[in-house]
Amino acid sequence: MNSKHPETLALHAGWRRDSATTAVAVPIYQTTSYQFDSAEHAAGLFALQQLGNIYTRIMNPTCDVLEKRVAALEGGVAALAVGSGQAASAYAVQNLARAGDNIVSSTDLYGGTWNLFANTLRDQGIEARFVDPTDPEAFRRATDDRTRAYYAETLPNPKLAVFPIAEVAAIGRSFGIPLIMDNTAAPLLVRPFDHGAAIVMYSATKYLGGHGTSIGGVVVDGGNFDWSSHPHRQPALNTPDPSYHGAVWAEAAKPLGPIAYILKMRVTLLRDLGAPLAPMNAFLILQGIETLALRMREHSRNTLLVANWLASRPEVTRVIHPAHHRDAVAAERTARYLPHGQGGLVGFELAGGAAAGRAFIDALEMVYHVANIGDARTLAIHPASTTHSQLSIDEQLSTGVSPGYVRLSVGIEHIDDILADLGQALDRAHAA
Ligand code: PLP
């Protein structure tokens, strides 16, 4: 597939037809295992002397198409599909950092990732040092000899301020530290590898799938990071792995291409911790990706219209959207990283505070009230009483959640119907 156009890659990358049946749709290879040709063939596969299917915990042909397609869309070299976005975030870090090591992470994270870093990885001996992403230099200041990776989200909610990918990637590269970007909220709108990131991860549950049917995650290797030139900084890829007879991944992977990072993740973390993506879910996510370019355009268009409309409503005191930032730095980052569309998320604050936020949610008729984003349908939530309710009011405010904050994940319904439902809900919340 020579095309570089996402609309085309989303339909064609990684697959032409089934060699046995000529089927055009990607088959769901619902199998755990694969018949080996001979004892020699099996031994060669296990020793990684040749690549091929062994067992669905570590590879599957349906997942393989998804991996190739997402890698092509991102401009990366290879990918690994896993059972959830959470598994993707965990593996992305665990692939480099071991007990005693640290990562430097943006404070502006999905709550699940925050918990993973602040609690579960900490319990495993990996420290996450959280820094404010408005100042890229904060990443440099938090770095020490045991820093193995930087981590951030491209378009984190609720603040919806674009992360300075190029600036932080450049600081990391000066130390031999890769930047891992969670691009869940901005597929196709930003390609973090184009700005110097080394690894991209997705919760495929959101826009990639797009239909709210399947939990999944993907990690993509940009193939643009020279792991062997930083042996002390990246020991996980530069010291012998006893589970593969002393293989040093940065060297061992070279004959296969610049895929050391993602190969190691597959043959060690996926093998040992075992969170593979089910083939059925890979199929469903592939179905979603076929229309990803169209959907991202519609999500972005509808969301900007909603943001502009909200700004004209008297009950709304503030609109949070990448194109509505008042501070010059955030506005410049939106213009630089998201010139062709600002995604499907918008937040707004209601003058009536928490009571108005809850009343608004209860008054919605078409829009769904769920804790998800990235669905083709419009979704809403009141974070202060749900996703962020375990935080103190001060903590809520520091993450960008005020009592009257409502988050919308704007879908691809007709804009008139979206505005009609939001309008009647605002009217009823105001009257309550
Ligand atoms: N990253 C982001 C930005 C998310 O919004 C989510 C889920 O909401 C995740 C990661 C975790 O993904 P999953 O729910 O697929 O495990």
Side-chain angles (χ1 to χ4, degrees), residues 83-87 89 109-110 112-113 151 153 155-157 182-185 201-206 214-217 371-373 407:
S84 67
Q86 285 300 110
S89 308
L109 292 177
Y110 164 62
T113 314
Y151 191 101
E153 290 180 19
L155 188 58
N157 76 79
D182 178 341
N183 205 40
T184 298
M201 63 75 45
Y202 279 102
S203 166
T205 315
K206 317 296 181 202
S214 315
I215 302 281
N372 196 20
I373 59 166
R407 180 187 77 200

Side-chain angles (χ1 to χ4, degrees), residues 5 13 44 54 56 62 67 79 103 115 152 156 180 195 223 235 339 349 373 389 417:
H5 299 294
I54 299 176
T56 283
T62 314
E67 288 159 353
I103 63 165
N115 277 330
I180 302 168
H195 302 283
E349 287 176 8
I373 59 166
S389 59
D417 296 322

Side-chain angles (χ1 to χ4, degrees), residues 92-93 96 102-105 147-151 177-180 234:
V93 171
L96 298 174
N102 66 73
I103 63 165
V104 180
S105 170
T147 304
R148 303 292 177 233
Y150 292 165
Y151 191 101
I177 295 172
L179 173 62
I180 302 168
Q234 300 299 345

Side-chain angles (χ1 to χ4, degrees), residues 285-302:
I285 294 164
L286 277 164
Q287 292 293 297
I289 289 176
E290 291 194 354
T291 58
L292 183 61
L294 287 176
R295 283 186 289 110
M296 292 315 292
R297 270 203 289 276
E298 281 300 293
H299 282 299
S300 296
R301 197 174 68 93
N302 274 352

